[in-house]
Amino acid sequence: MSLELVRPDLELALAVIVVTILTLGAYRLGCRFQFASPRSDRTVFLGLIGVSFLFAWSFFGRLIWAEAITSSAALYWSNVTPVVLAFCAGMAGHVVDLRKAFRPVVGGILMTLAIAFVITPIARPVLFPLDWDSPPEPQWMSQWQDGVYMQSNSASCAPAAAVTLLDHAGVKADEKDLASACLSSSLGTAPLGLYRGLSTVAKQHDLTAKVASRRPERWSDSGQLPNVALVRFQMGGDNPQDHGFLGNVSVGHVVTVLGRTDGGRWLIGDPAVGKVSWSDEELRQRFTGEAIYLAK
């Protein structure tokens, strides 16, 4: 196995180890950390719990972290929720507002959640694997259609869109390998997981995965086309964007933005339906603000 293939796994393993050590260290620190005022203890305790869950709900796995943390393991280096929860678990042992009988229970629950946040990104593909045995839907659809790679699984839109993007860069990639690199599961793919997969393959071909502008009108002039864009559709009031618990943030759908037509519409490679075009308004309504392109 080449060094280029081993390095991303080593980076991920190192990140998991470091975050685990920080989580355990935060618990020990929380056990010793105590304000002189019980009221301050309570305020910090409740405030940190609130902040940790707000972070997990709104910011975990988002591409905003890849702008500052260029490592393929950015999904873990940005994972501060288990550290904060572990600190709160340590504090639970001496928060005076909690009855002594309840303190071990509360501390145990918080520490369990902290550990869950550590292992979930790497455990999810194992616990909820993609089913590669099922034929693509509809069954008559070929894997490639008009230059767009069609997803093999209902939850593999992210790696499939990545295959199309890489193909436009002259790189042949395998959907299953990309799904593994993206830490994809039957629950979907985290945006930073998609970044990890593209970054892993791109580095092997002297390319760099970068976060595109949140303003699509800048893509053409900035050389950020084609790209893979995270989108969502409003159907029956349901938002496919899944803000799940334990950091399970998976995109509603991923498409490859190929460019613009002569008529000014956006040319979209949708791994679910093939090549389509969207107006500026349609892209504006559907685009989540997160996209990745490849640069030399």
Side-chain angles (χ1 to χ4, degrees):
M1 183 177 293
S2 67
L3 179 61
E4 290 81 2
L5 294 177
V6 173
R7 185 173 296 155
D9 291 335
L10 291 178
E11 289 182 5
L12 182 63
L14 176 62
V16 173
I17 292 172
V18 171
V19 171
T20 301
I21 292 174
L22 290 175
T23 299
L24 297 176
Y27 173 78
R28 296 284 296 178
L29 182 62
C31 291
R32 299 179 180 182
F33 186 87
Q34 191 169 3
F35 284 100
S37 167
R39 183 177 180 180
S40 298
D41 260 3
R42 178 179 66 248
T43 301
V44 172
F45 178 72
L46 295 177
L48 287 178
I49 290 178
V51 168
S52 64
F53 285 118
L54 176 64
F55 177 88
W57 181 270
S58 302
F59 298 105
F60 179 79
R62 296 298 178 189
L63 286 182
I64 186 175
W65 296 106
E67 298 182 52
I69 307 172
T70 57
S71 167
S72 62
L75 181 64
Y76 262 94
W77 292 125
S78 62
N79 189 13
V80 301
T81 299
V83 178
V84 178
L85 283 178
F87 181 82
C88 293
M91 285 191 67
H94 56 74
V95 174
V96 295
D97 285 355
L98 291 174
R99 294 183 180 180
K100 288 186 177 181
F102 291 160
R103 293 178 187 177
V105 176
V106 174
I109 292 174
L110 291 174
M111 198 62 194
T112 300
L113 288 174
I115 295 173
F117 272 107
V118 172
I119 66 174
T120 292
I122 56 175
R124 193 162 52 231
V126 177
L127 298 176
F128 306 98
L130 287 166
D131 181 12
W132 297 111
D133 295 328
S134 299
E137 296 293 343
Q139 295 185 18
W140 49 263
M141 188 178 288
S142 62
Q143 208 65 46
W144 282 94
Q145 194 174 71
D146 198 15
V148 178
Y149 188 87
M150 309 306 295
Q151 61 192 84
S152 303
N153 184 283
S154 60
S156 67
C157 57
V163 170
T164 301
L165 177 64
L166 288 164
D167 184 72
H168 276 261
V171 177
K172 301 300 180 183
D174 181 79
E175 181 188 14
K176 292 183 181 180
D177 291 341
L178 268 169
S180 177
C182 292
L183 302 178
S184 301
S185 71
S186 59
L187 301 178
T189 305
L192 278 180
L194 176 58
Y195 173 80
R196 179 180 190 270
L198 276 171
S199 178
T200 299
V201 178
K203 287 180 179 179
Q204 299 170 25
H205 299 273
D206 297 324
L207 296 170
T208 303
K210 293 187 176 182
V211 179
S213 171
R214 295 175 179 81
R215 300 177 61 180
E217 65 270 17
R218 295 182 175 179
W219 289 346
S220 296
D221 294 338
S222 302
Q224 298 178 3
L225 287 173
N227 62 48
V228 288
L230 282 58
V231 298
R232 57 174 176 261
F233 298 94
Q234 299 288 348
M235 295 180 292
D238 294 329
N239 186 348
Q241 189 83 4
D242 177 23
H243 293 269
F245 199 49
L246 297 180
N248 179 21
V249 182
S250 57
V251 301
H253 195 47
V254 179
V255 299
T256 309
V257 183
L258 302 172
R260 306 204 75 165
T261 67
D262 293 337
R265 293 175 65 86
W266 293 95
L267 190 60
I268 306 295
D270 189 330
V273 297
K275 188 176 289 185
V276 296
S277 67
W278 293 351
S279 66
D280 282 330
E281 180 64 17
E282 287 173 325
L283 181 64
R284 185 188 66 79
Q285 290 180 349
R286 297 167 182 172
F287 181 48
T288 66
E290 297 184 295
I292 305 171
Y293 71 101
L294 299 176
K296 291 291 185 179

